[in-house]
Amino acid sequence: MIEQVAEPLRQSTFAKVVLEIDVNNHPGVMSHICNLFARRAFNMEGILCMPVSDGKRSRIWLLVYDDQRLEQMVRQLEKLNDVRAVRRHGAEHEVFERLEDFFH
Amino acid sequence: MKQMSGAELIVRLLERQGVRTIAGIPGGAILPLYDALSGSELIHHVLARHEQGAGFMAQGMARVSGVPQVCFASSGPGATNLVTAIADARLDSIPMVAITGQVPLSMIGTDAFQEVDIYGMTVPITKHNFLVRSAEELLEVIPAAFRIAMSGRPGPVLVDVPKDVQNQQVSFEDFPPPAAAEALPASDRAGIEEAARMINAAERPVLYLGGGVVHSGASAQAVALAEKAGLPTTMTLMALGTMPVDHPLSIGMLGMHAARYTNFVLEEADVLVCVGARFDDRAIGKAARFCPDARIVHIDIDRSELHKIKQAHVGIHGDVGQVLEALAPLVDANPRPSWLARVNELKAGHPVEWATQNDPRTHYGLVRTVAAALDDEAVIATDVGQHQMWVAQAYPFRRPRQWLTSGGLGTMGFGVPAAIGAALAEPQRTVVCFSGDGSLMMNIQEFATLAEEWLNVKIVLMNNNSLGLVYQQQNLFYGKRVFASRYRGAPDFARIAEGFGVPSVDLDSAPNPRGALTQALTTPGPCLIHVSIDREQFVYPMVPPGAANTEMIGG
């Protein structure tokens, strides 16, 4: 038999990318999103979420590594019933940079 | 203005959705819903003996009808017992709505009696799930659950309803309309044209059909495309029946337990047209070495399946039925005599073992004798293991939805309750459930339900008193270190069946096993048909896990 042996994941060598996700705002949405990443051992480096407009929607910002599975992650996100849109930004996006002060 | 409790509202909405049979088990947190259900003149409740059984009964109904079906369970262990059936429905894209009772809203999060976070637990195994926080929400949530379950790629939806929400009164103007499936995505015209060019330029194309062809109701379109373009056609486990097995273009099931020639034909393909399939590891073996010379066209309603395992040269997002219909006129009629001659040469050079066995006391012979006694109207269900693969290899499937099997999750215990569900949905059919002794014991309590409903379900038990596929793998791949795969005891299945009120026939001791089998299959009502089989008979050919499909052993 060809033994199936695990190889370690080395995500940290990839560039980072920022995802901006518009979602319905209710308890449970975060767990749907986090679950997609967690079950694939895909680490979320940064996460930020606030309600928008009248509170019926939220916007989630994620900082993740741009590894070869990211396209699949985005497609899985787009399938979620509560996800309305996913936009991709480069790591230079300022949303997480401006938060740096709170983490030092 | 209408006024009623949340529980009554659920029952009315289910009736309006067309639900006529619900499998389930009551318990404290779902008693208001059961109280309301007792007043329904339209819905027949089937009392399962374990919630997993109820879940698979709903699946059986959904798999033969293609329409979302419902199961009920109470909170806590009732809900967790549904989990396996829900996960199974997710992996095989079966439309199902599971409704669970939950402790009252005010007690959620307090570790109340029979409280579990079934919402949290089912996030990764449902297409979507809901925790209902007011009776008014049910007006939206119940139709949404059905709409989500049946739209696009089908799947299971869970609706968790706290007991106090079931009891809460709600006033509303009128019922929402019953849910319908969402509109299909627009066809990708450019992709379809490119696919047609690839098929027309191909010399050795192969059509690869998956369960999506069944869900889309597209088997006629798939067969028509194959016939026009001269495409040898392979089917996944989930797609068996979409092209009749004796169609001249059928090359049978691909993958781990395919006929040798099928995997060899795929090895030579220069274009692979994948329709509603997902390049599962059991079907394609080592992904990097699957169809090494082929350019790939992949058609799927789920965009995330495109390029997931194999990068497609043309990925077409859309309903496979619509895409095949648009594709057919663009494809040149081509009988492909030299490619089909090569396919037939491979077929003749690698004859399959199951084609010639007819003794009903052998595994393949039993499958073929059952088939000979039935027509294509029968439904064939299986459990999971060696018997499942032998049936997949040797049974002549000729229509979609004839074949019910747990493909993605591979759940032992699936067979009996799924067969019960099939018989509930289509009582005019004979339903046969092939099972093994290991699988049968995982939901054997549903014999009680079967006897109570007195359905036309025949369980054909291939008994080798072991976990045969485990025993096989230990023999083949673990140095014959056989461990925990042979049973030391040997239950008397005939007496067990009779104890539940299900008649039985033992082919081991029957003077005329073929006659006894035919009589059992044609007598209305349930029956257990017991056959001892040889533990040393393995499923061949077999692609070792992780190997390429051409590296088959045996057969």
Side-chain angles (χ1 to χ4, degrees):
Chain A
M1 185 168 59
I2 293 156
E3 280 298 343
Q4 294 161 300
V5 182
E7 285 173 34
L9 282 168
R10 288 204 186 78
Q11 256 203 328
S12 55
T13 54
F14 293 96
K16 285 181 185 170
V17 64
V18 171
L19 299 179
E20 179 187 5
I21 310 167
D22 294 339
V23 299
N24 294 327
N25 179 14
H26 68 81
V29 175
M30 285 300 283
S31 73
H32 278 97
I33 291 183
C34 294
N35 221 294
L36 281 186
F37 287 85
R39 71 171 281 216
R40 292 172 175 81
F42 199 119
N43 199 34
M44 292 195 279
E45 297 295 308
I47 182 164
L48 185 63
C49 179
M50 293 281 277
V52 291
S53 57
D54 58 356
K56 285 193 173 154
R57 307 250 194 280
S58 297
R59 184 162 300 140
I60 298 174
W61 293 90
L62 299 180
L63 182 66
V64 295
Y65 286 110
D66 187 12
D67 81 11
Q68 71 280 2
R69 300 172 298 166
L70 186 65
E71 178 62 31
Q72 175 63 207
M73 288 305 318
V74 170
R75 288 180 177 210
Q76 293 291 345
L77 280 172
E78 287 169 342
K79 266 167 63 172
L80 291 177
N81 208 65
D82 286 316
V83 169
R84 310 183 68 87
V86 182
R87 288 176 292 274
R88 211 188 288 208
H89 305 279
E92 70 285 355
H93 195 281
E94 60 182 354
V95 61
F96 286 101
E97 256 172 40
R98 285 163 61 179
L99 283 171
E100 286 286 325
D101 291 347
F102 294 92
F103 292 87
H104 292 288
Chain B
M1 203 69 173
K2 296 180 168 54
Q3 191 178 12
M4 62 187 69
S5 70
E8 278 178 78
L9 176 56
I10 292 172
V11 172
R12 294 289 96 76
L13 291 172
L14 294 178
E15 288 175 346
R16 290 169 54 81
Q17 190 65 42
V19 173
R20 292 297 174 264
T21 308
I22 293 174
I25 303 184
I30 200 169
L31 278 173
L33 184 54
Y34 267 82
D35 194 35
L37 183 63
S38 73
S40 173
E41 290 176 358
L42 294 174
I43 298 177
H44 170 54
H45 179 262
V46 176
L47 180 59
R49 293 332 196 243
H50 185 289
E51 288 84 356
Q52 188 187 109
F56 283 129
M57 286 175 206
Q59 270 214 38
M61 294 190 281
R63 284 176 189 248
V64 295
S65 68
V67 175
Q69 301 291 336
V70 179
C71 56
F72 281 180
S74 194
S75 64
T80 55
N81 281 348
L82 278 183
V83 163
T84 301
I86 295 171
D88 188 281
R90 173 72 161 153
L91 280 170
D92 285 350
S93 305
I94 304 303
M96 182 167 95
V97 176
I99 299 181
T100 48
Q102 180 55 280
V103 301
L105 281 173
S106 59
M107 295 171 77
I108 288 180
T110 65
D111 297 332
F113 178 64
Q114 293 192 330
E115 183 199 355
V116 295
D117 176 14
I118 196 65
Y119 176 85
M121 270 182 224
T122 54
V123 165
I125 57 164
T126 50
K127 193 171 170 193
H128 192 58
N129 59 4
F130 297 94
L131 170 55
V132 182
R133 290 182 176 76
S134 72
E136 196 186 356
E137 272 181 43
L138 291 164
L139 291 163
E140 269 187 46
V141 166
I142 298 292
F146 281 89
R147 176 177 46 75
I148 293 165
M150 71 174 102
S151 295
R153 180 180 184 172
V157 177
L158 178 122
V159 184
D160 196 27
V161 191
K163 190 175 187 180
D164 53 347
V165 172
Q166 297 171 43
N167 285 325
Q168 189 181 29
Q169 290 291 313
V170 54
S171 304
F172 55 97
E173 278 303 319
D174 208 352
F175 290 107
E182 285 164 15
L184 297 170
S187 286
D188 166 8
R189 191 70 200 168
I192 291 169
E193 285 170 5
E194 179 59 24
R197 278 193 292 275
M198 274 172 63
I199 294 168
N200 291 339
E203 292 184 358
R204 299 180 306 281
V206 174
L207 185 60
Y208 157 35
L209 304 179
V213 177
V214 177
H215 301 311
S216 169
S219 56
Q221 290 92 323
V223 172
L225 178 75
E227 288 173 347
K228 185 174 184 194
L231 307 176
T233 302
T234 186
M235 288 162 273
T236 66
L237 183 71
M238 297 308 298
L240 293 178
T242 51
M243 173 181 274
V245 71
D246 30 22
H247 190 287
L249 289 167
S250 168
I251 58 170
M253 180 175 75
L254 77 163
M256 183 175 271
H257 297 296
R260 284 187 159 259
Y261 83 90
T262 310
N263 287 336
F264 289 139
V265 169
L266 284 157
E267 184 77 1
E268 295 186 12
D270 67 348
V271 168
L272 181 71
V273 183
C274 171
V275 183
R278 59 183 176 85
F279 295 90
D280 174 74
D281 55 278
R282 288 298 191 265
I284 72 163
K286 190 178 175 67
R289 292 182 52 194
F290 178 64
C291 293
D293 301 328
R295 285 161 43 90
I296 293 172
V297 176
H298 191 178
I299 308 167
D300 207 290
I301 190 116
D302 179 351
R303 222 169 62 84
S304 70
E305 287 300 342
L306 305 174
H307 317 300
K308 184 181 83 174
I309 305 285
K310 291 285 275 186
Q311 187 69 30
H313 299 80
V314 181
I316 301 172
H317 173 222
D319 169 66
V320 296
Q322 282 191 349
V323 173
L324 289 173
E325 248 167 46
L327 183 59
L330 307 179
V331 168
D332 298 337
N334 188 343
R336 294 189 204 277
S338 59
W339 173 223
L340 294 182
R342 172 63 183 151
V343 170
N344 286 329
E345 182 189 359
L346 285 167
K347 188 173 183 175
H350 302 277
V352 294
E353 192 191 339
W354 51 84
T356 50
Q357 287 195 16
N358 290 304
D359 177 355
R361 285 190 283 214
T362 64
H363 52 287
Y364 286 134
L366 178 62
V367 175
R368 289 172 54 83
T369 310
V370 169
L374 299 168
D375 62 21
D376 295 341
E377 295 307 303
V379 170
I380 308 300
T382 68
D383 264 303
V384 168
Q386 289 176 316
H387 71 274
Q388 177 192 27
M389 291 300 117
W390 287 324
V391 178
Q393 290 173 327
Y395 198 96
F397 294 105
R398 296 194 183 93
R399 69 174 175 87
R401 302 198 184 280
Q402 182 184 9
W403 161 244
L404 316 181
T405 201
S406 170
L409 196 65
T411 310
M412 294 170 69
F414 169 92
V416 171
I420 290 172
L424 286 166
E426 301 196 335
Q428 76 282 8
R429 296 187 191 274
T430 300
V431 180
V432 174
C433 169
F434 285 93
S435 189
D437 51 302
S439 285
L440 188 63
M441 284 190 277
M442 291 204 185
N443 269 322
I444 201 163
Q445 76 288 345
E446 301 310 331
F447 272 44
T449 315
L450 175 58
E452 212 164 78
E453 298 288 323
W454 202 252
L455 297 161
N456 200 21
V457 172
K458 323 296 181 191
I459 293 118
V460 178
L461 171 58
M462 296 189 185
N463 184 359
N464 58 9
N465 206 33
S466 58
L467 296 164
L469 212 43
V470 175
Y471 180 78
Q472 170 170 344
Q473 292 217 32
Q474 288 175 339
N475 270 282
L476 294 178
F477 308 126
Y478 291 87
K480 299 190 194 298
R481 292 184 296 280
V482 172
F483 179 68
S485 58
R486 282 176 301 199
Y487 296 117
R488 281 176 290 166
D492 184 337
F493 286 101
R495 283 177 66 193
I496 292 170
E498 281 162 17
F500 277 114
V502 173
S504 71
V505 173
D506 191 352
L507 298 196
D508 295 356
S509 55
N512 173 5
R514 179 174 293 266
L517 175 62
T518 305
Q519 195 190 346
L521 290 172
T522 51
T523 306
C527 186
L528 173 76
I529 300 163
H530 176 272
V531 191
S532 295
I533 59 159
D534 180 1
R535 182 188 283 153
E536 302 309 318
Q537 292 293 334
F538 292 168
V539 186
Y540 288 128
M542 181 172 191
V543 177
N549 272 355
T550 47
E551 297 171 320
M552 293 164 274
I553 53 175

